[in-house]
């Protein structure tokens, strides 16, 4: 893509007979399975003792309000709280998590309706947790895993040397990780159903006003709302954000997105199934084995799609219409097995979420957009999240948490 070259091993895989298109995520590139990573951003190293603030330093920091309780908001607030900073989180929804929602009501393991994969090695979770190693089980893809490509003819191949580096949570999810390791630091510090619509950072204090007219004040504020909401001008800033930041937001290419999970009585599909539109400048679409690595007898196939390829699914009723459309295309590929073995399905259309309105900043977006949005313009107001990062990658949960660590370092510096 425009801002990151694929690993060499995946370049060779993508030119084989299967011809899986080259893409930004390793699973898309090599195994054609990516996560709706809605979410989010990065920095190197961990939040270590050198960045811990003394009591006098935290007094200078003053109070901080974090807008949004998604991965970036939770990460920033938890690390600030651990440093002794007076922090409060204001979340528009009635619960936390943002675009890392999951459900435990579908099968016997959590189904991630948003961000799903860890796109770094397992040490990244230690960094997100402020240098404390978490207890998490992760599954890695294997060279022997079968992937397939369909362009009217089904072609299959094993990953081989092109095995991707993405990791799946086993028996848990991104939401579980945050619930277990960071949210305990925020007990009693998150207020829900508070949509912030105006932020005045013109004075010595930051004044935040909710849609209900409630007013909140702090010495500093961290805004972690999805970039689509800023593009839709759902938050008014006084003074306005700098021209460069507003320009980046206005020209940002943001993909809508959807995930669908279908349970079957048998596994008739490969680890990943890609198509001619699985990785293009217009968007992505692919099926993947959502049960991969799980200690479960359930056979769940996931559909991940963003951008233009998602629109035909999003236009359908999420009940029978969506079911029939997916089964029809799978039946064509797998000789009717899908319809014969269908049990149930569930869908998450992120365009319909009022406090997301989309999936994430497009993979082929101009790299200057997230880099510009990561630039500091105030010592009172900060942006953190998957689209506000200067680290050459964006739109994943680990990216969002990394962006939050960058902001915390700046605040405590």
């Amino acid at each position: 893509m425009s801002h990151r070259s694929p690993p060499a091993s995946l370049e060779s895989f993508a030119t084989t007979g299967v011809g899986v298109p080259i893409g930004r995520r390793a699973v898309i590139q090599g195994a054609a399975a990516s996560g709706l990573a809605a979410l989010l951003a990065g920095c190197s190293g961990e939040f270590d003792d050198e960045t811990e603030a003394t009591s006098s330093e935290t007094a200078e920091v003053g109070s901080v309000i974090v807008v949004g309780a998604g991965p970036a908001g939770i990460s920033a607030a938890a690390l600030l709280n651990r440093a002794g900073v007076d922090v409060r989180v204001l979340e528009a929804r009635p619960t936390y998590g943002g675009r890392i929602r999951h459900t435990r009501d579908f099968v016997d393991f959590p189904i991630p309706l948003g961000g799903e994969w860890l796109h770094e090695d397992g040490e990244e979770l230690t960094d997100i947790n402020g240098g404390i190693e978490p207890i998490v089980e992760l599954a890695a893809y294997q060279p022997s895993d079968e992937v397939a490509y369909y362009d009217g003819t089904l072609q299959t191949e094993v990953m081989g040397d092109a095995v991707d580096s993405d990791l799946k949570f086993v028996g848990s999810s991104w939401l579980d990780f945050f619930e277990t390791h960071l949210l305990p630091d925020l007990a009693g510090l998150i207020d829900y159903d508070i949509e912030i619509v105006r932020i005045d950072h013109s004075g010595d204090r930051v004044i935040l006003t909710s849609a209900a007219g409630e007013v909140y004040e702090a010495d500093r504020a961290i805004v972690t709302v999805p970039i689509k909401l800023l593009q839709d001008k759902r938050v008014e800033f006084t003074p306005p954000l700098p021209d460069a930041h507003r320009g980046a937001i206005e020209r940002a290419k943001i993909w809508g997105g959807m995930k669908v999970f279908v349970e079957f009585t048998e596994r008739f599909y490969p680890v990943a199934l890609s198509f001619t539109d699985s990785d293009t400048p217009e968007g992505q679409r692919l099926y993947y084995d959502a049960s991969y690595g799980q200690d479960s007898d359930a056979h769940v196939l996931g559909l991940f799609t963003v951008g233009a390829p998602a629109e035909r699914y999003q236009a359908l009723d999420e009940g029978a219409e969506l079911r029939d459309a997916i089964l029809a295309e799978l039946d064509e590929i797998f000789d009717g097995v899908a319809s014969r073995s269908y049990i149930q399905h569930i869908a998450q259309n992120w365009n319909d979420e009022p406090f997301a309105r989309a999936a994430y900043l497009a993979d082929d977006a101009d790299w200057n957009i997230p880099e510009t949005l990561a630039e500091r313009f105030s010592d009172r107001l900060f942006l953190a999240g998957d689209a506000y990062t200067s680290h050459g990658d964006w739109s994943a949960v680990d990216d969002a948490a990394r962006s939050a660590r960058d902001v915390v370092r700046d605040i405590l510096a």
Side-chain angles (χ1 to χ4, degrees), residues 122-196:
E123 292 181 2
E124 183 69 17
L125 298 180
T126 300
D127 291 347
I128 295 173
N129 197 30
I132 303 171
E133 185 176 356
I135 301 174
V136 177
E137 184 179 356
L138 300 168
Y141 291 95
Q142 301 300 312
S144 58
D145 289 337
E146 185 181 72
V147 295
Y149 177 70
Y150 185 75
D151 61 356
T153 301
L154 185 64
Q155 306 167 62
T156 61
E157 188 170 305
V158 297
M159 288 190 184
D161 292 338
V163 64
D164 74 88
S165 58
D166 289 354
L167 300 171
K168 282 182 64 69
F169 290 84
V170 177
S172 66
S173 67
W174 269 117
L175 186 60
D176 288 316
F177 169 79
F178 282 96
E179 284 182 336
T180 301
H181 299 286
L182 281 84
L183 276 164
D185 291 279
L186 301 180
L189 299 180
I190 306 178
D191 295 319
Y192 298 101
D193 296 309
I194 298 174
E195 179 189 3
I196 295 300

Side-chain angles (χ1 to χ4, degrees), residues 48-254:
D48 55 27
D49 292 340
E50 294 181 1
T51 57
E52 291 182 0
T54 65
S55 58
S56 61
E57 288 171 336
T58 56
E60 292 179 6
V61 168
S63 58
V64 179
I65 285 180
V66 178
V67 181
I74 293 171
S75 297
L79 294 177
L80 287 170
N81 185 50
R82 291 179 189 180
V85 175
D86 176 12
V87 64
R88 184 178 187 183
V89 182
L90 305 179
E91 166 57 44
R93 296 181 63 245
T95 188
Y96 50 79
R99 288 166 288 167
I100 54 171
R101 184 178 306 171
H102 74 201
T103 179
R104 290 183 174 275
D105 298 328
F106 191 65
V107 288
D108 58 353
F109 60 90
I111 293 292
L113 301 172
E116 183 165 352
W117 284 267
L118 171 61
H119 298 297
E120 306 288 342
D121 61 37
E123 292 181 2
E124 183 69 17
L125 298 180
T126 300
D127 291 347
I128 295 173
N129 197 30
I132 303 171
E133 185 176 356
I135 301 174
V136 177
E137 184 179 356
L138 300 168
Y141 291 95
Q142 301 300 312
S144 58
D145 289 337
E146 185 181 72
V147 295
Y149 177 70
Y150 185 75
D151 61 356
T153 301
L154 185 64
Q155 306 167 62
T156 61
E157 188 170 305
V158 297
M159 288 190 184
D161 292 338
V163 64
D164 74 88
S165 58
D166 289 354
L167 300 171
K168 282 182 64 69
F169 290 84
V170 177
S172 66
S173 67
W174 269 117
L175 186 60
D176 288 316
F177 169 79
F178 282 96
E179 284 182 336
T180 301
H181 299 286
L182 281 84
L183 276 164
D185 291 279
L186 301 180
L189 299 180
I190 306 178
D191 295 319
Y192 298 101
D193 296 309
I194 298 174
E195 179 189 3
I196 295 300
V197 296
R198 287 188 296 279
I199 300 177
D200 186 338
H201 58 111
S202 61
D204 294 335
R205 301 266 286 173
V206 182
I207 312 298
L208 303 94
T209 305
S210 74
E214 302 161 310
V215 177
Y216 305 85
E217 292 189 25
D219 294 298
R220 302 167 191 255
I222 304 174
V223 177
T224 70
V225 302
I227 187 174
K228 179 62 175 175
L229 299 188
L230 297 188
Q231 191 174 72
D232 290 348
K233 297 180 171 60
R234 293 279 290 274
V235 182
E236 175 187 345
F237 294 92
T238 304
L241 297 178
D243 290 345
H245 287 68
R246 286 187 286 122
I249 291 168
E250 289 171 2
R251 71 175 188 274
K253 179 181 178 181
I254 303 170

Side-chain angles (χ1 to χ4, degrees), residues 4 7 10 13 20-35 116-120 139-141 145 147-148 159 162-168 271-274 278-279 284-289 292 304 363:
R4 189 175 87 175
L10 296 178
F13 179 85
V20 177
I22 288 296
R24 173 164 163 258
R25 297 297 180 207
V27 184
I28 291 178
Q29 294 164 324
S34 171
E116 183 165 352
W117 284 267
L118 171 61
H119 298 297
E120 306 288 342
Y141 291 95
D145 289 337
V147 295
M159 288 190 184
V163 64
D164 74 88
S165 58
D166 289 354
L167 300 171
K168 282 182 64 69
V271 167
L273 171 65
S274 64
S278 282
D279 187 19
Q284 298 168 354
R285 174 177 74 107
L286 41 96
Y287 287 95
Y288 62 96
D289 182 2
Y292 188 94
F304 161 83
D363 285 0

